[in-house]
Amino acid sequence: MAGSATPTAPAAVPALELRGIRKSFGSVAALEDVHFAAYRGEVHAIVGDNGAGKSTTIKIVTGIHKSDGGEIFVDGEGMDAVHGANEALDKGIAVVYQDLALVECLDIATNMALGNLPKRFGLVLDRRRMDREAAKVLADLNVRVGDVKTPVGLLSGGQRQVVAIARAVRMDKPIMLLDEPTAALGVQETAHVGRMIDELRAAGKAVICISHDLDFVFTHADRITVLRLGNSVGTRVVADTTRDEIVGMITGAIPREATRDAATHALRNAPEEVTP
Ligand SMILES: Nc1ncnc2c1ncn2[C@@H]1O[C@H](COP(=O)(O)OP(=O)(O)O)[C@@H](O)[C@H]1O
Ligand SMILES: [Mg+2]
């Protein structure tokens, strides 16, 4: 079950690793040194106060912003700058943004298929197939949002979030980035998103989940990386840390580690020692 599980046998190579990522917007240094490594079969939470740099980090991975420095590795391979969501998808990364929502005037099925609309003879939109596929993905995820032809503008915040996640799940990519997936959700909707995340882990995905809901994080994440003022403060295995420690890292009561965090190092290096 989530929370208790340390990723016991992580693959030697992280699915996604960031090293020394920097980014300024004019005179604002949004990111100074962001680093973490996320493995397949792991839910890796990124936490931090407002303005810590969580969303900017995600947007650099997906190419919405260009970093000023640092390196990104996917399955151990250095990635050149990614340009937009389509290229991120090609690299195996699906994303649910915090502030780039669904298209309100379009219905659920169309939103879920955007960027990858099913066509007949390569020309005509295959509406029936699109509806069928959307309904199947939602059913598989145990999501009940009614007719897939319902405009997204008519859905509650929670339903929209679930549809946005379902859309990313439909991409079936090994790396999933979720930015505040439970912001503004009710208790039941939050629990539902939590179950979706648990299933993604069980399916072997590397799930990188930004959240400032520590209840949620401690229930569903395996490890936590804390960002503060654009810096990685450290990474902790959920089973080996406490809420107090994480809060201290968020607020700065516990200072940033001088070296790369122990938890990341242990996971990164252990398998290499076994297999030279
Ligand atoms: N497009 C932008 N232009 C200028 N400043 C930005 C932009 N995006 C983010 N910032 C700034 O970068 C810092 C980090 O923001 P963000 O990544 O959104 O933080 P978080 O998601 O952790 O709340 C903040 O100081 C924010 O004001
Ligand atoms: Mg944010």
Side-chain angles (χ1 to χ4, degrees), residues 7 21 23 31-32 57 110 116 145 156 186 202 209 212 239 268:
I21 298 292
K23 174 69 184 174
L31 307 181
E32 290 181 344
T57 299
T110 309
N116 186 18
V145 284
S156 73
C209 178
H212 53 234
R268 190 190 298 142

Side-chain angles (χ1 to χ4, degrees), residues 50 54-56 98 179-180 210:
N50 279 336
K54 306 179 298 294
S55 293
T56 303
Q98 176 178 19
D179 193 353
E180 297 284 0
I210 290 180

